[in-house]
């Protein structure tokens, strides 16, 4: 009986040891799966998608592939707005997406405590955008200083405004657009004097 009891005990221990041996790898696999970083998985998926774009010949480099992928994602998001009925055309969808993105960025500034109101956030965003544009002109060599960059940007903005006048059909040439632009600017300045009470009529303002 002692021998039988000993054999049973030995058999139980061996069975328990085998169970632990086979269970250990499974626990290790579960632990590894639990510790996997979702961000790393996302990066691997992105890298694979970019490489596929290059291999299909849709882009020459991974940087170009990134641009292609971003454009596709943007186009898909715009199409989704149209399909959902939030916008009638892709142009409207683009405007809506831009408005939402701007609103989100302004709200983020408020939430971060950098500004107290959306109005302040709008001003701050404008200042940062202007500073970035000026710095870009300096970095590209189009201007030597931020002051020169401001002048270049002003000239570019003025030229764009004149081109817009021509494209709308308000003027046939840039020269005519310049004259019209000056007239409108003078009219606006005179009206401002009347509105402020500094002059009673446009004639007095003139």
């Amino acid at each position: 009986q002692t021998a039988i009891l000993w054999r049973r005990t030995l058999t139980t221990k061996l069975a328990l040891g085998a169970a632990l041996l086979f269970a250990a790898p499974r626990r290790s696999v579960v632990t590894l799966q639990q510790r996997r970083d979702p961000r790393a998985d996302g990066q691997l998926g992105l890298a694979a998608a970019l490489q596929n774009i290059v291999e299909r010949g849709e882009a020459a480099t991974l940087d170009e592939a990134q641009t292609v992928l971003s454009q596709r994602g943007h186009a898909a998001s715009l199409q989704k707005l149209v399909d959902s009925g939030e916008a009638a055309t892709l142009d409207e969808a683009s405007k809506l997406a831009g408005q939402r993105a701007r609103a989100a960025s302004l709200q983020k500034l408020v939430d971060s405590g950098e500004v107290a109101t959306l109005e302040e956030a709008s001003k701050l965003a404008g200042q940062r955008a202007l500073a970035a544009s000026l710095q870009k002109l300096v970095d590209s060599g189009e201007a030597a200083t931020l002051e020169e960059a401001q002048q270049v940007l002003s000239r570019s903005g003025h030229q764009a405004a004149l081109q817009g006048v021509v494209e709308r059909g308000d003027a046939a040439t840039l020269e005519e657009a310049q004259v019209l632009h000056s007239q409108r600017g003078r009219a606006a300045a005179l009206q401002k004097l009347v509105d402020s009470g500094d002059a009673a009529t446009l004639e007095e303002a003139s």
Side-chain angles (χ1 to χ4, degrees):
Q1 291 180 349
T2 301
I4 293 173
L5 181 60
W6 180 82
R7 283 197 298 273
R8 287 179 177 175
T9 302
L10 179 60
T11 300
T12 301
K13 289 182 178 180
L14 289 174
L16 180 60
L20 291 175
L21 180 62
F22 285 108
R26 288 197 294 270
R27 287 199 301 271
S28 299
V29 170
V30 172
T31 301
L32 288 173
Q33 290 176 342
Q34 290 174 343
R35 291 180 180 177
R36 288 177 65 179
D37 187 353
R39 290 174 296 182
D41 291 342
Q43 291 172 352
L44 289 174
L46 174 60
L50 296 179
Q51 187 61 43
N52 286 337
I53 291 175
V54 173
E55 291 175 355
R56 289 196 300 268
E58 298 177 53
T61 65
L62 290 176
D63 287 339
E64 289 183 14
Q66 178 67 66
T67 301
V68 170
L69 196 63
S70 297
Q71 290 172 343
R72 289 179 178 174
H74 182 63
S77 65
L78 296 184
Q79 187 61 51
K80 189 175 181 180
L81 289 174
V82 174
D83 294 340
S84 67
E86 296 182 70
T89 64
L90 290 175
D91 287 338
E92 289 184 13
S94 180
K95 292 178 182 178
L96 179 60
Q99 292 169 352
R100 288 181 176 177
R102 175 172 171 77
S105 65
L106 296 182
Q107 188 59 52
K108 189 174 181 180
L109 289 174
V110 175
D111 295 340
S112 67
E114 295 184 69
V115 293
T117 65
L118 290 174
E119 289 74 15
E120 291 180 12
S122 181
K123 292 179 182 178
L124 179 59
Q127 292 169 353
R128 288 180 175 177
L130 174 60
S133 297
L134 296 179
Q135 188 60 52
K136 187 175 181 180
L137 289 173
V138 173
D139 295 340
S140 67
E142 297 182 64
T145 64
L146 291 175
E147 289 73 16
E148 288 184 15
Q150 179 67 66
Q151 294 174 359
V152 171
L153 197 64
S154 296
R155 288 196 296 269
S156 298
H158 181 66
Q159 188 71 16
L162 295 182
Q163 187 61 44
V165 171
V166 173
E167 291 175 356
R168 289 195 303 271
D170 294 333
T173 65
L174 290 176
E175 289 72 17
E176 290 183 15
Q178 176 62 61
V179 173
L180 181 60
H181 183 72
S182 299
Q183 292 172 344
R184 288 176 176 175
R186 176 174 171 76
L190 295 179
Q191 187 61 51
K192 188 174 181 180
L193 289 174
V194 174
D195 294 341
S196 66
D198 293 330
T201 64
L202 290 175
E203 288 72 17
E204 289 184 15
S206 179

